[in-house]
Amino acid sequence: MVERKRTEMISRDEAVRRHLQVLYASQTREKQIFISDLKEHRKRKDRQMFNSIIYAIGPKWYQALSVRQRCALDALEMSIYQDLLEGRPVRCIVIMHKLGLVPLPSFTELMSCVFLGRNDPKEMLAQLYFSTYGYPINGKRISYCLNARLILSAILYLGLDNLIFLLEKTFAPDKSAGEPEPKPKRKPPVKVPSPYLAKMVAFCYEPPQIRRKPPPPLPDLAVLNEPYEEEPIMQKPPPPPPPPPPPKKRLPISYCEKLAGINPIRPHVPSTTDIYDSRKSIKPKGKTRSKTNILENGTKKKKKYGIGIDFRKKNKHRKKLVPPTTSLWNAQYTINGVFQVQGKTCFVLGNVTILPALGELIHGGYALVGGQNINIHCGFRGRAPALKPDPCDCVKKWQDTVFKYVKETKCTCGHYFDLRNEGHFSQEELQYFVKPTIHAPFQFNYDTIYDIDAQKLYVEKEFKRIWDTDSMLRVDDSIANKLLEKKKKKKKAEKDSKKDGDDDDTSRMRNVPSHSCLGMNPKITDYLKCALRLMRKVNVAARLPDLHLVPELKEWMRQRLYGKLTSSERREYLRKSTTYWSMLRTLADQGFGHVSPPKDPLYGVPTTWKHKQSLNDRFRQYTDRYKLTLFRSHAYVTNMLWSTMYQAEFPDKKFREIYFSYLFSRVQDIQLIHPYSKRETAERKTTLMNKRYVCLPPGVEPKT
């Protein structure tokens, strides 16, 4: 009995433990799913915030310029004038150096760009961009290097004031609007014989609300109502064609003269000069070569080795051996070797075999010779040529067979190939296709491929027929005529109001046709697109791609459309800046924008004074390369930080100067130790803490 109770207790405890394990496992799984969903949600939010930061920067080529870079660009026009007078671009190359271009253009290239852009510094920078990259500034690219971003941003800075002036001129309010109507004058209060008879009015105090001044009404924007086409992204230029083949080698003139039979006539040379005639002396056959040469005057001279000897050698080509041929296709032979017989090279053949002819053997019977039966061979019978094949019509046969099978064979459910619709549809009633219209091409309806409901197809066909003929509205002729008259009156009133010029901004925005670049509900960027397109002939900077995304122009257009910012909107900008900076700070902790120095094993090896100079040269190249990568990374991070600042929305020169004092405009100003970099400061701190009480040989790192 006791043992039974004990087993029951153990089984109950085991059941409770298992239940707790299952419950814990399910709760843990739910928490893991929640944590994974939370991570995905945060990743999505961070990605959206990062995309909003990139959108706030502006176009892909936009780069924020410091005060030093802007001051250098202000002096570019005078530098171009002075360099043209002097004939060499010594001042313009300094400005390009201050702008931060690495590597700098050559003197010849820069001088040609200075001459082409002598009337406008923006044109000079555009020519420099074209000569450097091979495509104009108005071509949209997928990505831009730092040099390209600096050149395009310099063009924008030089033409920004003129662009804003042209925008002010384009969006200036019409003068026909006139002055606003004067406010009605207040009537003087009626005098009452007794103050006690006057009506008493109790006022509730309300704090004054600061309302922003409404912007002036927009002018007539009919000039901008033209269709807008987005510029396509320019692809990389195709590789250059291969170089032409080298010219054929020309034969020397002496060879041609020799073929033509022209012999050169040379003057008589005296014997004292010891110069031999270039013509070869004719030697009789069978005589040995003498050690003396005969001069032109008939005297003999001993052979010399030096200046007066013609060293031209006779070209002796070895004669190529040609194997023998029997001119028979069925002859086979083996070559045992090549021997020389009486001064001639000859092939020595081993055996020659004649193969039997192609065809069937003609049997001529048997003959008894010497007690043996021998076959009598009467030659070979030739084979007849193959017959020419008949023309093939397999495609037609296949098509007819397939159509016959489709028409005569039923599927397993008892339906024909046209799915419950016996017979053929006409071309007009075919429900699988949509008839072409003025605005739409001939289309295939994918929704009705597997739709086999005849009633549904019939209803859709009837509804479409009714809708196309406008018989579904069922409007009487009298009502229709009244509606048409109302529409005509409304259009006439709108035309009259347009002529008078007393319509407001909202009505104009509604009257903008839908096919125009502004559209029905135009945004800030839509206004900028259409306005900047008309300024391309006047200003070079207006030809830049995606210019409507520049923050300064968007801010000006926003202020023109909606007025100045209120205090609540300023607080919203500040809140966005704090959220953006908290995200960028977390990214900086993870290594965003950080450039770790490359480790070269050469500097950890013990060396001697013999390698000092080569090590110094290598280290100089090493630091220059590292500084350049650091400069590009800091330029990218600076551009991102500047667009997310609250002060960057309303740029001030002093604030810009303070902000860019820690950030560099050229590579020479970069220091390898950055006091403001949070991650690098932490890395230096840990390195110093590890090496504080440890003395290790060079190249060996302490254990962390």
Side-chain angles (χ1 to χ4, degrees):
M1 191 72 179
V2 175
E3 290 180 359
R4 185 179 178 184
K5 286 184 179 179
R6 188 179 299 167
T7 53
E8 288 178 358
M9 289 282 291
I10 292 172
S11 61
R12 195 181 299 114
D13 293 344
E14 185 69 22
V16 170
R17 189 176 62 81
R18 287 182 180 177
H19 176 69
L20 288 176
Q21 285 181 354
V22 171
L23 189 64
Y24 177 74
S26 63
Q27 290 179 355
T28 308
R29 198 178 304 110
E30 289 177 0
K31 288 180 181 179
Q32 287 177 351
I33 293 171
F34 172 73
I35 292 297
S36 63
D37 292 344
L38 184 62
K39 285 182 180 179
E40 288 295 327
H41 176 72
R42 286 177 177 174
K43 280 184 181 178
R44 205 179 304 115
K45 285 288 184 182
D46 291 345
R47 200 178 297 115
Q48 291 175 359
M49 192 181 295
F50 197 74
N51 291 335
S52 61
I53 291 173
I54 292 175
Y55 178 76
I57 291 173
K60 291 184 179 180
W61 50 263
Y62 184 76
Q63 178 70 36
L65 301 177
S66 64
V67 178
R68 181 174 180 179
Q69 290 170 323
R70 293 187 170 208
C71 293
L73 289 172
D74 291 336
L76 181 59
E77 188 173 3
M78 183 56 66
S79 301
I80 290 173
Y81 174 72
Q82 292 175 349
D83 286 347
L84 283 173
L85 290 178
E86 191 173 342
R88 51 178 187 168
V90 289
R91 297 168 185 83
C92 290
I93 201 76
V94 173
I95 291 176
M96 298 298 111
H97 180 62
K98 290 181 180 178
L99 185 61
L101 299 186
V102 179
L104 291 170
S106 62
F107 262 48
T108 309
E109 182 183 4
L110 188 60
M111 191 62 201
S112 63
C113 298
V114 165
F115 179 75
L116 293 173
R118 57 189 178 276
N119 299 323
D120 190 2
K122 299 188 291 297
E123 185 65 32
M124 176 256 170
L125 290 170
Q127 291 292 338
L128 178 63
Y129 184 85
F130 180 73
S131 64
T132 306
Y133 300 104
Y135 44 86
I137 60 172
N138 53 359
K140 191 189 294 187
R141 307 293 294 180
I142 299 174
S143 62
Y144 296 87
C145 62
L146 181 58
N147 272 20
R149 285 192 279 138
L150 289 172
I151 293 174
L152 295 179
S153 302
I155 294 173
L156 172 66
Y157 169 71
L158 293 173
L160 186 61
D161 296 336
N162 183 252
L163 285 176
I164 292 177
F165 172 74
L166 293 174
L167 286 174
E168 289 175 355
K169 191 176 178 181
T170 305
F171 290 92
D174 293 336
K175 296 180 181 178
S176 60
E179 298 179 357
E181 296 180 359
K183 294 181 180 180
K185 295 182 180 179
R186 294 180 64 180
K187 295 180 180 180
V190 181
K191 291 185 178 181
V192 184
S194 175
Y196 296 102
L197 297 176
K199 293 181 180 179
M200 188 179 70
V201 181
F203 292 97
C204 180
Y205 175 75
E206 294 179 358
Q209 294 180 356
I210 302 173
R211 295 181 180 178
R212 60 182 174 192
K213 188 179 179 181
L218 291 174
D220 187 10
L221 300 176
V223 186
L224 306 182
N225 290 341
E226 295 178 4
Y228 181 82
E229 295 180 359
E230 193 71 24
E231 294 181 0
I233 296 176
M234 289 183 62
Q235 302 297 331
K236 290 185 178 180
K248 295 182 179 179
K249 291 183 178 180
R250 297 182 60 183
L251 295 171
I253 299 175
S254 61
Y255 183 80
C256 300
E257 290 178 352
K258 188 177 180 182
L259 290 176
I262 301 172
N263 295 321
I265 300 173
R266 301 181 182 276
H268 177 69
V269 182
S271 60
T272 55
T273 57
D274 294 340
I275 298 175
Y276 292 89
D277 188 8
S278 61
R279 291 177 296 179
K280 296 178 181 178
S281 59
I282 302 171
K283 298 176 182 178
K285 292 184 179 179
K287 292 185 179 181
T288 58
R289 186 183 295 176
S290 62
K291 294 185 179 180
T292 59
N293 290 334
I294 301 173
L295 297 177
E296 287 186 350
N297 54 5
T299 59
K300 290 185 178 181
K301 191 73 177 177
K302 283 188 177 182
K303 190 174 181 181
K304 281 190 175 184
Y305 301 93
I307 300 173
I309 300 171
D310 191 4
F311 286 100
R312 287 179 293 182
K313 293 183 179 180
K314 192 176 181 181
N315 293 330
K316 293 183 179 179
H317 295 287
R318 184 179 177 183
K319 202 169 183 180
K320 190 176 181 181
L321 296 176
V322 180
T325 58
T326 58
S327 68
L328 296 174
W329 64 269
N330 57 350
Q332 289 185 354
Y333 55 87
T334 57
I335 300 174
N336 290 340
V338 181
F339 297 91
Q340 196 165 9
V341 180
Q342 295 181 359
K344 293 183 179 180
T345 53
C346 302
F347 285 89
V348 178
L349 304 180
N351 55 343
V352 181
T353 307
I354 303 299
L355 300 176
L358 294 176
E360 297 177 359
L361 176 66
I362 300 175
H363 195 267
Y366 304 97
L368 186 63
V369 178
Q372 291 183 359
N373 287 324
I374 298 173
N375 292 333
I376 299 173
H377 176 38
C378 296
F380 291 91
R381 186 181 292 111
R383 294 175 181 171
L387 297 175
K388 190 176 180 180
D390 297 331
C392 181
D393 57 347
C394 58
V395 178
K396 295 181 181 179
K397 289 181 179 179
W398 180 81
Q399 288 180 349
D400 297 339
T401 307
V402 169
F403 287 134
K404 186 178 180 182
Y405 175 79
V406 170
K407 289 178 182 178
E408 296 179 356
T409 309
K410 291 185 178 182
C411 56
T412 55
C413 59
H415 301 142
Y416 284 104
F417 72 99
D418 55 351
L419 302 176
R420 283 187 183 172
N421 296 311
E422 299 292 338
H424 297 279
F425 278 108
S426 65
Q427 190 66 23
E428 298 179 353
E429 297 180 356
L430 196 59
Q431 78 276 18
Y432 301 116
F433 298 93
V434 180
K435 288 190 292 185
T437 60
I438 301 174
H439 307 287
F442 196 83
Q443 294 179 356
F444 183 71
N445 192 356
Y446 290 92
D447 298 331
T448 57
I449 299 175
Y450 304 106
D451 197 352
I452 59 176
D453 192 355
Q455 296 177 356
K456 184 179 177 183
L457 293 175
Y458 176 75
V459 170
E460 286 183 357
K461 185 173 65 175
E462 287 295 321
F463 181 79
K464 188 174 184 301
R465 185 178 61 79
I466 293 170
W467 184 261
D468 290 342
T469 55
D470 289 338
S471 60
M472 198 173 187
L473 300 176
R474 302 189 182 280
V475 182
D476 296 335
D477 294 339
S478 60
I479 300 173
N481 293 333
K482 288 180 182 179
L483 289 173
L484 287 174
E485 288 178 2
K486 282 185 179 180
K487 285 183 180 179
K488 288 180 180 178
K489 287 181 181 179
K490 191 176 180 181
K491 286 184 179 178
K492 190 176 181 181
E494 287 177 357
K495 287 182 180 178
D496 295 340
S497 62
K498 278 187 179 180
K499 289 180 181 177
D500 298 339
D502 55 353
D503 56 334
D504 57 350
D505 181 24
T506 57
S507 64
R508 267 200 198 93
M509 288 173 64
R510 292 194 195 104
N511 293 332
V512 173
S514 60
H515 66 274
S516 67
C517 61
L518 290 178
M520 296 302 295
N521 296 317
K523 300 177 182 178
I524 295 173
T525 54
D526 297 333
Y527 282 109
L528 283 173
K529 275 182 187 177
C530 302
L532 292 170
R533 185 177 51 176
L534 304 175
M535 304 174 188
R536 292 178 180 174
K537 295 182 180 179
V538 183
N539 197 333
V540 178
R543 301 205 300 260
L544 295 171
D546 292 337
L547 192 63
H548 56 278
L549 300 177
V550 174
E552 287 89 349
L553 296 176
K554 283 198 297 185
E555 175 60 27
W556 183 90
M557 185 56 70
R558 188 208 59 76
Q559 189 173 355
R560 173 65 182 86
L561 293 177
Y562 306 110
K564 295 183 179 179
L565 290 174
T566 59
S567 57
S568 60
E569 289 174 342
R570 288 176 181 269
R571 285 196 299 271
E572 180 64 21
Y573 272 117
L574 187 60
R575 186 194 65 79
K576 282 185 180 180
S577 298
T578 53
T579 54
Y580 289 161
W581 270 62
S582 62
M583 178 188 178
L584 291 173
R585 200 177 295 115
T586 54
L587 287 176
D589 293 339
Q590 296 173 5
F592 177 72
H594 175 73
V595 181
S596 55
K599 294 183 179 180
D600 196 339
L602 181 68
Y603 305 126
V605 180
T607 56
T608 59
W609 287 98
K610 182 180 178 181
H611 308 288
K612 177 189 173 185
Q613 189 61 38
S614 62
L615 277 176
N616 283 341
D617 297 340
R618 289 281 297 274
F619 189 71
R620 195 179 297 109
Q621 295 176 2
Y622 171 86
T623 52
D624 291 344
R625 205 180 305 120
Y626 176 57
K627 279 185 177 182
L628 184 58
T629 55
L630 201 62
F631 174 63
R632 288 171 178 164
S633 173
H634 277 295
Y636 179 72
V637 175
T638 303
N639 202 27
M640 186 167 287
L641 292 174
W642 177 255
S643 62
T644 56
M645 284 188 180
Y646 168 68
Q647 291 89 345
E649 299 291 336
F650 321 99
D652 183 23
K653 184 178 180 181
K654 279 294 176 186
F655 172 71
R656 183 183 284 269
E657 197 169 356
I658 294 167
Y659 173 69
F660 281 97
S661 61
Y662 283 103
L663 303 166
F664 321 109
S665 61
R666 54 180 190 167
V667 186
Q668 283 72 19
D669 298 336
I670 285 188
Q671 302 171 359
L672 295 181
I673 297 176
H674 315 290
Y676 56 87
S677 180
K678 185 178 177 183
R679 173 165 174 167
E680 293 183 8
T681 308
E683 286 178 356
R684 284 197 300 274
K685 180 186 174 184
T686 53
T687 305
L688 291 174
M689 287 292 290
N690 292 335
K691 291 185 177 181
R692 190 171 183 183
Y693 300 111
V694 179
C695 296
L696 293 173
V700 180
E701 296 183 356
K703 296 181 181 179
T704 55

